[in-house]
Amino acid sequence: ANISKLSTKARNNGGGAWNHNFFWQVMKPNGGVPTGKIVDAINGAFGSVDKFKEQFTQAAMTRFGSGWAW
């Protein structure tokens, strides 16, 4: 709730640590293709899972800090 009161350096480093921990918590073996409501939402917003992956990769490649994009 008070993150805006911290310095840019603290926010960037804290956010990076949080993202790194979150990343490893949501990984699973063999990945997979989304199904159900999530794939419907992806297809509705991006046209297809492949188009989503393209846009997601582009977002990650152009973000500050090690490519965190979600």
Side-chain angles (χ1 to χ4, degrees):
N2 295 312
I3 192 77
S4 64
K5 295 178 182 176
L6 299 176
S7 70
T8 300
K9 188 174 186 177
R11 288 193 313 269
N12 287 341
N13 284 298
W18 191 93
N19 286 332
H20 182 83
N21 289 331
F22 179 72
F23 174 80
W24 291 110
Q25 290 174 15
V26 299
M27 294 294 290
K28 68 178 187 174
N30 302 317
V33 178
T35 59
K37 290 181 180 181
I38 190 70
V39 78
D40 293 340
I42 289 170
N43 289 337
F46 298 94
S48 71
V49 172
D50 286 336
K51 288 182 182 178
F52 164 75
K53 288 179 183 180
E54 290 173 16
Q55 289 187 35
F56 189 87
T57 298
Q58 181 61 32
M61 298 295 288
T62 58
R63 294 290 184 260
F64 168 80
S66 307
W68 291 112
W70 10 311

